[in-house]
């Protein structure tokens, strides 16, 4: 299975990446041959040489809507750059998916591939400086030093400025792969130095196919999950495999029928917030306790030692607690945003019925509720409700108190 097989519905992008990987492989092969024969090393491509989409360059920006597979495409490209399959000498394309280079890059254990993601609200200057230092090292395996930054949109302004110099003048064998929802989420000075690849939302059928092929999900369940998430690969997989995710989604889809009065609006808002808080609490129970115990052990306060921290180590524990608090905040926001996306999908189906559109419903399992709302309102009211959900998401991005933002939304849904 080639590394590109999991990049769903992105044929144009995979063609460009495969061509770049071939050029990168040719460069490494030529460099090694030149070293063996003592003829010097070929000059790597500079930032001024970026032009053809089939050539290799040292900085890439992957953009696309949530679920389009930005990080999957970046990881596949990283694996292709590290491919050591002997078939390459016979004309085979790099990115076989089976060799040690491909396998370790895909699972995240390759010494020269750094996968950077964050479960916090932002990526700061300190973490970025560590990445820049890493990028200056020569590859341990002799091919490429690849840094995949999955959440480039979460860089603070200061962190972006730190990253700029490394992207502008990378080490000869370093490749930066940045992922973000859109080019506007990245500093103009950084995106202007990257080759931009725009991914699209994968077709529902393609997502269902990969769930069946890769995850062993039953075709009917895979199709239902892919249709419900409208092509979001990660959410579709979670919906098909996690019973709790299906229960949460079912509860969200009942909300439009529960906002008949102010009391119902406030209760529905509180339940959404509570559900998001429960998700954050579960993550904390699974991760925070383990992290805390590991740090205490590292600081010399393991179980059986009285539990007291050595002097001068309280700052490290406080730093960990702050990190866990930020992670809990992001988990709660992500869970709440997921519910709002499902709610938007419900009203999209309502609008489709009202307008007589011939598109399949994303939430066919609640067709009766959709039909009831559609017949009791007008397309104009449905659009205003969709706008209310979008406004709630934007308010949460601006750090408005979650309960206040959701209560305003549910009240607007009632008014239409």
């Amino acid at each position: 299975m080639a590394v590109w097989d999991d990049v769903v519905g992105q044929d144009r992008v995979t063609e460009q990446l495969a061509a770049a990987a071939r050029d990168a492989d040719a460069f490494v092969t030529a460099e090694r041959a030149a070293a063996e024969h003592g003829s010097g090393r070929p000059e790597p491509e500079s930032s001024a040489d970026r032009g053809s989409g089939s050539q290799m360059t040292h900085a890439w920006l992957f953009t696309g809507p949530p679920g389009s597979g930005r990080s999957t495409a970046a990881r596949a490209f990283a694996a292709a750059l590290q491919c050591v399959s002997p078939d390459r000498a016979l004309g085979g394309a790099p990115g076989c998916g089976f060799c040690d280079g491909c396998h370790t890059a895909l699972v995240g254990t390759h010494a020269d591939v750094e996968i950077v993601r964050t479960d916090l609200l932002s990526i700061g200057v300190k973490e970025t400086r560590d990445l820049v230092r890493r990028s200056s090292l020569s590859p341990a395996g002799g091919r490429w030093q690849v840094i995949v930054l999955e959440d480039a949109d979460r860089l603070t302004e200061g962190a972006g400025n730190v990253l700029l110099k490394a992207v502008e003048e990378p080490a000869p064998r370093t490749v930066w792969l940045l992922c973000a929802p859109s080019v506007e989420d990245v500093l103009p000075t950084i995106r202007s130095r990257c080759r931009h690849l725009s991914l699209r939302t994968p077709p529902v059928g393609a997502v269902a196919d990969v769930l069946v092929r890769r995850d062993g999900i039953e075709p009917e369940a895979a199709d239902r999950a892919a249709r419900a998430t409208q092509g979001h690969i990660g959410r579709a997989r979670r919906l098909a495999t996690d019973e709790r995710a299906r229960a949460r989604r079912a509860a969200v889809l009942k909300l439009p029928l529960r906002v008949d009065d102010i009391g119902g609006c406030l209760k529905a808002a509180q339940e959404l917030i509570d559900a998001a808080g429960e998700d954050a609490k579960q993550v904390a129970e699974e991760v925070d306790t383990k992290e805390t115990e590991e740090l205490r052990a590292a600081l010399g306060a393991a179980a059986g030692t009285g539990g007291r921290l050595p002097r001068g180590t309280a700052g490290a524990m406080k730093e960990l607690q702050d990190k866990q608090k930020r992670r809990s905040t992001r988990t709660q926001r992500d869970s709440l945003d997921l519910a709002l996306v499902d709610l938007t999908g419900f009203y999209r189906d309502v609008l489709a019925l009202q307008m007589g559109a011939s598109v399949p419903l994303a939430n066919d399992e609640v067709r009766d509720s959709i039909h009831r709302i559609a017949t009791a309102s007008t397309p104009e009211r449905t659009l205003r409700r969709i706008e209310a959900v979008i406004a709630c998401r934007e308010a949460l991005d601006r750090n408005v108190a979650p309960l206040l933002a959701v209560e305003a939304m549910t009240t607007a849904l009632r008014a239409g």
Side-chain angles (χ1 to χ4, degrees):
M1 183 179 73
V3 297
W4 315 111
D5 288 353
D6 286 345
V7 185
V8 181
Q10 313 291 345
D11 293 342
R12 180 183 58 82
V13 169
T14 55
E15 288 174 4
Q16 294 183 52
L17 293 176
R22 287 194 296 269
D23 286 351
D25 184 64
F27 171 79
V28 172
T29 302
E31 185 182 62
R32 288 180 174 175
E36 291 174 0
H37 293 87
S39 58
R41 53 185 294 174
E43 288 297 323
E45 181 191 7
S46 68
S47 60
D49 295 325
R50 299 183 187 120
S52 170
S54 65
Q55 294 179 352
M56 180 60 183
T57 190
H58 289 88
W60 299 76
L61 176 60
F62 297 78
T63 65
S68 57
R70 300 184 301 262
S71 60
T72 301
R75 287 187 178 211
F77 186 37
L81 292 176
Q82 306 294 359
C83 183
V84 293
S85 169
D87 292 342
R88 294 175 298 113
L90 304 175
C96 65
F98 295 102
C99 70
D100 183 65
C102 287
H103 176 71
T104 54
L106 289 174
V107 300
T109 59
H110 197 290
D112 293 325
V113 178
E114 180 78 7
I115 307 293
V116 183
R117 70 175 69 86
T118 182
D119 50 11
L120 306 179
L121 295 174
S122 62
I123 299 175
V125 171
K126 179 181 177 182
E127 300 94 319
T128 308
R129 283 179 177 155
D130 291 340
L131 283 181
V132 170
R133 281 192 290 268
R134 165 76 184 255
S135 72
S136 65
L137 301 176
S138 297
R143 295 189 66 81
W144 300 94
Q145 178 81 255
V146 184
I147 300 178
V148 182
L149 186 54
E150 294 188 355
D151 300 297
D153 56 307
R154 293 187 183 272
L155 289 166
T156 64
E157 184 175 354
N161 291 329
V162 170
L163 180 64
L164 174 61
K165 188 67 174 178
V167 172
E168 185 176 25
E169 298 179 6
R173 299 282 284 279
T174 296
V175 182
W176 289 90
L177 308 180
L178 312 181
C179 305
S182 70
V183 293
E184 287 76 17
D185 293 311
V186 180
L187 287 177
T189 48
I190 291 180
R191 66 184 187 235
S192 65
R193 290 161 174 79
C194 298
R195 178 169 299 154
H196 178 215
L197 294 177
S198 179
L199 283 71
R200 67 189 182 101
T201 299
V204 169
V207 174
D209 178 70
V210 77
L211 292 179
V212 173
R213 172 173 51 82
R214 184 178 60 189
D215 301 303
I217 297 170
E218 291 295 326
E220 184 178 348
D223 180 72
R224 185 166 55 249
R227 188 176 63 251
T229 57
Q230 291 296 285
H232 191 301
I233 301 173
R235 288 184 56 211
R237 183 184 299 112
R238 182 186 178 195
L239 197 61
T241 58
D242 187 347
E243 177 62 36
R244 192 182 64 165
R246 292 194 290 272
R248 289 281 171 82
R249 180 173 177 275
V252 170
L253 296 181
K254 293 177 182 177
L255 186 145
L257 298 177
R258 301 177 54 204
V259 292
D260 292 335
D261 54 49
I262 293 298
C265 293
L266 300 181
K267 183 177 180 181
Q270 186 64 61
E271 289 177 358
L272 276 183
I273 297 298
D274 290 345
E278 186 63 31
D279 280 347
K281 181 180 178 182
Q282 182 178 19
V283 171
E285 291 175 350
E286 294 173 353
V287 180
D288 289 6
T289 302
K290 180 180 178 181
E291 283 183 345
T292 301
E293 291 303 319
E294 288 177 349
L295 180 59
R296 290 179 65 86
L299 296 176
T305 63
R308 293 176 62 89
L309 288 170
R311 294 184 64 180
T313 61
M317 186 62 68
K318 178 65 165 57
E319 183 178 352
L320 176 62
Q321 292 170 349
D322 290 342
K323 174 185 174 182
Q324 291 172 343
K325 183 177 180 180
R326 293 195 301 271
R327 180 171 58 206
S328 177
T329 300
R330 177 177 172 181
T331 300
Q332 183 175 10
R333 288 186 183 180
D334 286 350
S335 178
L336 190 54
D337 188 69
L338 194 61
L340 298 179
V341 169
D342 287 332
L343 196 57
T344 304
F346 179 94
Y347 285 113
R348 171 261 189 196
D349 286 345
V350 171
L351 188 62
L353 282 185
Q354 291 173 330
M355 301 300 293
S358 58
V359 297
L361 298 183
N363 305 285
D364 193 62
E365 69 273 23
V366 291
R367 177 180 287 270
D368 290 345
S369 298
I370 293 170
H371 187 268
R372 177 178 169 183
I373 298 292
T375 55
S377 64
T378 64
E380 291 78 12
R381 294 183 67 187
T382 302
L383 286 172
R384 286 196 293 269
R385 285 166 172 158
I386 292 175
E387 290 172 351
V389 179
I390 294 173
C392 181
R393 297 182 70 189
E394 292 175 345
L396 293 172
D397 283 340
R398 297 193 302 270
N399 291 322
V400 173
L403 182 58
L404 183 63
V406 177
E407 286 179 345
M409 178 197 71
T410 54
T411 304
L413 294 180
R414 173 177 177 268

